Amino acid sequence: MSNKPQPVAVTTPNQNQEEYEQQNVHQVYEVIATHFSDTRYKPWPVVENFLMALKPGSLGADVGCGNGKYIGVNPNVMILGSDRSSNLIKIVHDRGFEGMVADGLDLPYRSNTFDFAISIAVIHHFASPERRLQAIKDLFKIVRPGGKVLVFVWALEQTKFSKRNFEPGQQDVFVPWKMTPRKGQKEEEVNQAVYNRYYHLFKKGELDALFEQIDESVIETSGYDRDNHYVIAHKK
């Protein structure tokens, strides 16, 4: 039986959420960036279909782009990536893509600029409802009227095929990341530390409810895919 570390429920602070995220999200991704990137290479079908359906020449933002795996999916659109992790952005640059270090709540873009914005598996890392709502509002701020927004977040309703054993009903959790040998590495050469990342697991309808709080948002579709909830909307 594997002794793989499992998620644990946590209580988020009522204040200083930014410091909490810095310690339990940003610092972790800085450490695990290269190993994390090795496991993130295949686009999710809903995101790929969204990107491939865009008009050629469209300009988009990938907020929380990680290693940039979605930036090159559709070569007929231009995507600018941003992420809080400088080590992940280095990987984006090494792959020949445009990316910058930026906070999802302090995006360095002009308002009403982009034809679309995506944020895939990012907003569940914000530690309060207010910060999660603001992150989505900021996506709508940077897209033009008629522009599209796609957001994916981890779901509380994980299927029986999920690799993770979450405590039933617990939405705020630490999810462990344990290094495994990279190609050519031996087990004893790998850092054995376990790094815990904070996640808020979204209930069904919770992501839709955040979009519905934004005056400019018109939800086109929402759904569940691969243990994630997602929403596609456009800006009025």
Side-chain angles (χ1 to χ4, degrees):
M1 185 74 177
S2 172
N3 60 351
K4 183 178 179 180
Q6 293 297 326
V8 295
V10 296
T11 301
T12 54
N14 293 323
Q15 53 189 3
N16 299 323
Q17 290 101 347
E18 189 171 354
E19 294 177 17
Y20 185 80
E21 294 160 10
Q22 177 65 26
Q23 180 178 348
N24 298 300
V25 180
H26 308 313
Q27 289 179 6
V28 176
Y29 278 105
E30 281 293 81
V31 173
I32 71 172
T34 301
H35 183 250
F36 175 81
S37 177
D38 288 345
T39 69
R40 298 299 187 269
Y41 50 86
K42 189 174 182 181
W44 292 344
V46 171
V47 185
E48 184 175 23
N49 291 340
F50 173 88
L51 293 172
M52 294 306 296
L54 293 164
K55 182 179 177 182
S58 295
L59 175 65
D62 184 349
V63 177
C65 66
N67 67 357
K69 76 172 183 178
Y70 289 111
I71 296 178
V73 166
N74 183 348
N76 296 315
V77 302
M78 176 67 183
I79 298 179
L80 305 182
S82 64
D83 201 281
R84 270 294 300 267
S85 168
S86 60
N87 285 332
L88 284 171
I89 290 298
K90 286 177 186 175
I91 295 170
V92 172
H93 292 162
D94 288 344
R95 298 176 74 179
F97 298 136
E98 294 286 340
M100 70 182 80
V101 177
D103 192 305
L105 298 184
D106 189 20
L107 295 173
Y109 304 128
R110 290 178 295 183
S111 300
N112 304 306
T113 298
F114 292 94
D115 298 306
F116 66 96
I118 63 173
S119 189
I120 311 303
V122 174
I123 288 170
H124 51 223
H125 286 309
F126 289 105
S128 72
E130 294 79 15
R131 290 173 69 77
R132 294 189 282 272
L133 175 61
Q134 188 59 52
I136 299 173
K137 284 183 175 179
D138 285 359
L139 298 176
F140 278 93
K141 180 180 178 182
I142 64 174
V143 299
R144 62 169 175 78
K148 291 181 179 288
V149 171
L150 167 61
V151 171
F152 261 74
V153 294
W154 278 18
L156 178 65
E157 302 84 7
Q158 301 272 319
T159 68
K160 65 180 180 180
F161 301 108
S162 173
K163 301 181 222 173
R164 306 175 188 90
N165 296 319
F166 292 112
E167 296 180 38
Q170 297 294 328
Q171 289 188 262
D172 295 300
V173 296
F174 277 167
V175 177
W177 184 276
K178 190 173 186 298
M179 302 290 197
T180 55
R182 303 181 70 197
K183 189 173 182 180
Q185 269 190 321
K186 297 178 181 178
E187 186 76 37
E188 58 269 22
E189 296 174 335
V190 178
N191 179 354
Q192 296 298 313
V194 176
Y195 300 94
N196 284 308
R197 299 163 294 157
Y198 167 75
Y199 283 77
H200 174 80
L201 305 178
F202 277 68
K203 293 179 181 177
K204 183 179 180 181
E206 184 177 353
L207 182 61
D208 298 66
L210 291 179
F211 273 77
E212 288 165 358
Q213 292 181 55
I214 301 170
D215 292 339
E216 299 168 303
S217 167
V218 179
I219 295 177
E220 295 185 359
T221 186
S222 62
Y224 177 91
D225 180 64
R226 297 165 187 258
D227 297 326
N228 289 262
H229 293 301
Y230 69 89
V231 170
I232 299 174
H234 69 261
K235 182 176 180 176
K236 288 181 183 176

